[in-house]
Amino acid sequence: MTSDVGWKFPFLNDGTREGFNVSAIDMFKSERLQALVREMIQNSLDAQDKTSDPVIVRFTLDTTSDLDDTGFDELARYFKAAHKLEHTQAGKSFYQRAIDQVADGHVTFLGVHDYNTRGLTGPTFDPPENPQSGPWLALVKGAGMTFKESSSALGSFGHGSRAPFAMSELRTLFYLSRIEHEGSLETRFQGKSILQSVPLTEVTGAPEWCVATGYFGIRTKCLPLTDGEVPRWAIQARPELDRDALSVGTSVYIPEPYGVEEEELLWAEVKLAVVANFYFAVLTNKLVVHLGEHERIDADSVAQAFDDVVETDLINILKPTDKVVERLESARTVRKKDLSGTLQLEDFGTINWYLRLDGVVGRHVGVARGNGMLITRAAEKLQRFPGLKPFDLFVCVSGDQGSELLRKLENPEHTEFAFDRISDMTERKSAEAAYYKFQSSVRSLLREHASIQIEEEVSVDDLDDWFRGDLGAGVDNEKGEPNRTLRIAFKKARSHRENRQTELTGDADTSGRGSNGGPGKHKSKGGTFPGDGSGSAKSALRTGLPVRNLRVVRTAPGSGVADVAFTPVDGTRKTLVLLRSGDSETERLEFRTEEEVAAGSAWRTSLEFTELSATARKHLRLVFHPADLDYAIEGRLEP
């Protein structure tokens, strides 16, 4: 390298000293790899070149010992200066690990490469007398800058651009981009590291403090290396059909990534992130993903990729967080839909929807926009659905106007919508009105396909005096008199296919008035009016608190052995009860551990743990009566 090529952390110039903690990076630490995959693929989709072809994203893992061309020997001096200055244990540990990893003489890179994209275009220098903008400046040289090339773009290069830094144990990235520029091709390369302010006397000898962010490239004005100046290792690490012809697109290299000790598990984690967040994008041929050298996820294989990672024991090894488990439910809906279609809304555009009714617990709507990345499963005004049977709905707002509206409501992590993100009150009211039409259309769709069906209504005049009040405040006769007739509606018994949650027992007798419950396992208290008391009660009292994100997955079709995973509500309730769940009836399930089966032990209906934590997901394998696994199951923890 020439003397003008290397790392430069600009002078602080009496500005604000920056410490080790960077909130824009820390916010992604709980889901490092998930955040990386979401951010990188989102940026690639936003930069799509030919809309007739899918964007291709490749993930690779390489190691280099050419530390001179990466500048790590020089960067290590900044690590040492920061380690000497830092007082927190977390900061000191971080810098010591970074020093040790560079001293090892080898650096591992996780590479993320895209194709059929435009690359990081735009100027690389931003003079104050003539401010510039573009993808390169927003991503590489910006902080908190958003550059949006289309209404379907997910707000590229804003706060989310810090997600890849959370994945690097050195908080350092390298960007390689090939673009079409002024009628010819240009290759750009630059490194970026986010550390903390240190006295440069410890590094370069200059009597100045530096800012926390430094760049590898041409030190003068912190410019990128171009064309023949680009390090050979960066070009060779980008997979190409023709090694001598670098294609248009971008590669981001993440040195010393977290959690890559077992490469097979790394690709499984990436696959999990892809199917959880981009199932719809892959299915509709907007996206193709390659993992390492051997696996490809495309429209033809995404269903198998979902099954490989979610419907096998691998899901228990990966131990996804509650957020990921939630996202997987939307992917499951697209994978195993009962109904699907499109809506056309005026001033909103096209909406693609997928509805799942079979085997669903709860009522959820997952919302994506633009290129198909799932944003949230708890969207504004789409969280409560009284009068509907359990369902899971996925909608993707593909229309430009609707996508643009939702973009304005998104938080920086692209995980929720909030109207208070729009400061202008006039614009906010307009957004609320447009969004109201959207959520109304979604609710109308659900009423059409997920309403509880009424089989019979019976008028009971004898109870009129007991429920006089405001009952039946509607008008039901020619004189406009209030209707005070009490109607009892009997819900249609749904088939096993329509809803696995419900098991009806006993007969509904419209004339029965029982003073005693039926002869079932648990007798219910009798009614107010005496009578013959015919019927059946097969209901176990729901006690304790429900666990979060319960997953029960059979180890083989028809088997009674299942892997059970859940997140406790707190650490005080330690007795697990599993119940067969229905609309109105609940029955405790019998189960045993595999050890109890081998020992011939009796069936149990609860399992006590010595220790549970509300922050740690619990995984276990249990043996059930096989038929019980055909029903929806809920879990509760009792004191």
Side-chain angles (χ1 to χ4, degrees):
M1 292 189 299
T2 66
S3 60
D4 197 36
V5 174
W7 283 95
K8 179 180 180 180
F9 286 73
F11 292 164
L12 189 60
N13 290 325
D14 299 322
T16 302
R17 272 182 58 185
E18 300 168 274
F20 170 72
N21 295 310
V22 182
S23 59
I25 294 178
D26 293 343
M27 66 194 294
F28 296 109
K29 284 184 176 180
S30 62
E31 288 188 326
R32 298 180 195 272
L33 189 58
Q34 286 280 328
L36 170 76
V37 173
R38 281 170 61 88
E39 178 67 19
M40 299 304 295
I41 293 182
Q42 164 211 303
N43 288 344
S44 297
L45 288 170
D46 288 347
Q48 185 175 16
D49 185 17
K50 298 176 182 177
T51 56
S52 58
D53 298 326
V55 168
I56 298 174
V57 177
R58 291 179 178 268
F59 291 84
T60 61
L61 200 62
D62 296 285
T63 299
T64 181
S65 57
D66 194 351
L67 300 190
D68 185 48
D69 275 353
T70 58
F72 277 120
D73 287 336
E74 182 181 1
L75 188 61
R77 297 202 292 270
Y78 288 91
F79 292 150
K80 292 174 182 177
H83 180 270
K84 181 178 179 181
L85 180 69
E86 181 59 26
H87 297 294
T88 68
Q89 184 59 44
K92 277 195 168 297
S93 296
F94 168 82
Y95 289 119
Q96 187 59 59
R97 287 196 309 273
I99 293 168
D100 294 342
Q101 286 167 330
V102 172
D104 179 65
H106 296 81
V107 176
T108 298
F109 287 97
L110 175 62
V112 187
H113 320 271
D114 65 32
Y115 308 81
N116 188 31
T117 63
R118 295 181 294 275
L120 295 174
T121 58
T124 60
F125 179 59
D126 188 18
E129 67 274 9
N130 183 24
Q132 303 289 307
S133 65
W136 178 272
L137 287 176
L139 179 61
V140 181
K141 301 298 288 291
M145 293 172 60
T146 295
F147 182 82
K148 183 180 68 68
E149 294 187 288
S150 70
S151 59
S152 63
L154 289 167
S156 303
F157 317 136
H159 294 287
S161 64
R162 293 294 187 266
F165 286 93
M167 188 65 190
S168 170
E169 291 199 62
L170 308 181
R171 285 210 320 213
T172 300
L173 300 178
F174 291 92
Y175 302 92
L176 171 72
S177 195
R178 178 82 157 170
I179 66 168
E180 293 184 2
H181 179 62
E182 297 179 352
S184 61
L185 295 175
E186 178 182 283
T187 305
R188 302 168 167 183
F189 177 85
Q190 191 153 30
K192 182 175 182 178
S193 187
I194 302 177
L195 304 177
Q196 68 183 75
S197 298
V198 298
L200 290 175
T201 50
E202 300 285 334
V203 183
T204 66
E208 297 281 351
W209 285 83
C210 70
V211 297
T213 302
Y215 298 92
F216 177 82
I218 298 175
R219 290 190 177 96
T220 303
K221 298 181 180 179
C222 293
L223 294 174
L225 302 175
T226 58
D227 297 328
E229 301 169 320
V230 176
R232 192 65 185 164
W233 70 264
I235 295 175
Q236 291 177 336
R238 178 177 169 86
E240 297 286 0
L241 292 177
D242 184 352
R243 279 291 180 185
D244 297 324
L246 193 65
S247 61
V248 172
T250 298
S251 293
V252 177
Y253 296 103
I254 303 152
E256 297 300 335
Y258 284 93
V260 298
E261 292 80 9
E262 296 184 50
E263 187 172 348
E264 185 176 348
L265 281 182
L266 169 67
W267 300 139
E269 288 268 16
V270 175
K271 185 192 299 187
L272 175 67
V274 170
V275 298
N277 296 285
F278 296 99
Y279 193 103
F280 176 76
V282 176
L283 181 67
T284 53
N285 204 38
K286 294 183 176 72
L287 173 67
V288 173
V289 178
H290 292 259
L291 308 178
E293 298 180 356
H294 306 295
E295 185 163 6
R296 170 188 170 107
I297 305 175
D298 57 20
D300 294 328
S301 62
V302 66
Q304 187 60 53
F306 178 91
D307 293 345
D308 288 346
V309 75
V310 177
E311 306 292 4
T312 67
D313 191 52
L314 183 59
I315 194 69
N316 296 319
I317 298 173
L318 298 177
K319 298 180 180 179
T321 65
D322 289 348
K323 291 180 181 179
V324 177
V325 171
E326 276 292 303
R327 294 172 195 149
L328 285 171
E329 286 305 302
S330 284
R332 188 187 303 277
T333 293
V334 182
R335 165 77 176 91
K336 300 183 177 182
K337 66 183 184 300
D338 292 308
L339 298 166
S340 64
T342 59
L343 294 175
Q344 291 291 337
L345 298 185
E346 185 178 358
D347 299 327
F348 217 83
T350 303
I351 299 175
N352 301 95
W353 60 269
Y354 295 76
L355 179 63
R356 178 165 54 100
L357 300 170
D358 190 24
V360 178
V361 177
R363 300 166 180 85
H364 295 96
V365 176
V367 181
R369 68 173 186 85
N371 290 315
M373 184 177 80
L374 176 67
I375 303 298
T376 181
R377 284 172 55 84
E380 286 273 337
K381 305 183 189 303
L382 287 173
Q383 299 180 40
R384 298 180 182 276
F385 301 92
L388 299 182
K389 58 188 175 184
F391 68 85
D392 199 276
L393 177 69
F394 171 85
V395 296
C396 180
V397 179
S398 304
D400 286 348
Q401 289 174 289
S403 186
E404 170 68 11
L405 168 65
L406 295 183
R407 184 191 67 81
K408 294 177 180 179
L409 304 180
E410 280 177 29
N411 64 337
E413 302 95 319
H414 309 297
T415 57
E416 66 180 22
F417 300 124
F419 288 105
D420 58 9
R421 298 194 63 79
I422 301 178
S423 302
D424 184 272
M425 294 307 298
T426 301
E427 184 180 0
R428 184 187 297 186
K429 288 182 179 179
S430 176
E432 288 176 341
Y435 186 87
Y436 177 80
K437 293 180 181 178
F438 162 65
Q439 65 90 21
S440 294
S441 297
V442 172
R443 288 183 176 276
S444 295
L445 173 71
L446 289 168
R447 283 194 295 271
E448 179 181 354
H449 297 294
S451 290
I452 296 174
Q453 300 178 37
I454 303 300
E455 185 180 59
E456 182 181 359
E457 287 188 350
V458 179
S459 178
V460 186
D461 296 332
D462 293 350
L463 299 181
D464 192 35
D465 290 338
W466 292 83
F467 298 97
R468 193 169 294 278
D470 293 328
L471 182 67
V475 175
D476 198 32
N477 56 48
E478 294 180 358
K479 296 181 179 180
E481 295 294 329
N483 174 14
R484 299 187 183 278
T485 302
L486 174 67
R487 286 186 172 88
I488 298 177
F490 295 95
K491 185 169 60 179
K492 179 180 178 181
R494 288 176 292 225
S495 68
H496 176 70
R497 170 66 181 167
E498 290 177 309
N499 188 355
R500 290 183 181 175
Q501 289 182 286
T502 304
E503 181 195 26
L504 300 179
T505 59
D507 297 321
D509 186 351
T510 59
S511 62
R513 299 175 180 173
S515 59
N516 296 296
K521 290 183 180 179
H522 303 277
K523 292 186 178 181
S524 59
K525 185 178 179 180
T528 305
F529 303 99
D532 58 14
S534 62
S536 170
K538 189 180 181 182
S539 178
L541 182 64
R542 286 182 171 91
T543 59
L545 291 178
V547 300
R548 291 178 288 154
N549 293 319
L550 174 69
R551 293 282 292 126
V552 180
V553 181
R554 270 186 164 125
T555 57
S559 171
V561 182
D563 290 313
V564 179
F566 65 91
T567 303
V569 289
D570 57 33
T572 61
R573 295 169 173 81
K574 299 179 181 179
T575 301
L576 175 68
V577 175
L578 297 172
L579 309 104
R580 186 164 69 183
S581 177
D583 285 342
S584 59
E585 302 184 10
T586 304
E587 182 181 8
R588 287 195 178 191
L589 296 184
E590 294 181 327
F591 58 86
R592 293 183 288 184
T593 65
E594 289 185 310
E595 292 77 9
E596 289 172 335
V597 172
S601 302
W603 293 92
R604 61 165 71 231
T605 57
S606 64
L607 181 62
E608 185 174 355
F609 297 94
T610 56
E611 184 176 354
L612 286 177
S613 169
T615 60
R617 194 157 172 80
K618 191 70 176 177
H619 300 262
L620 59 153
R621 177 166 288 183
L622 298 175
V623 180
F624 298 84
H625 298 294
D628 285 340
L629 296 180
D630 291 334
Y631 291 83
I633 295 174
E634 65 177 270
R636 289 180 172 264
L637 286 172
E638 300 178 342

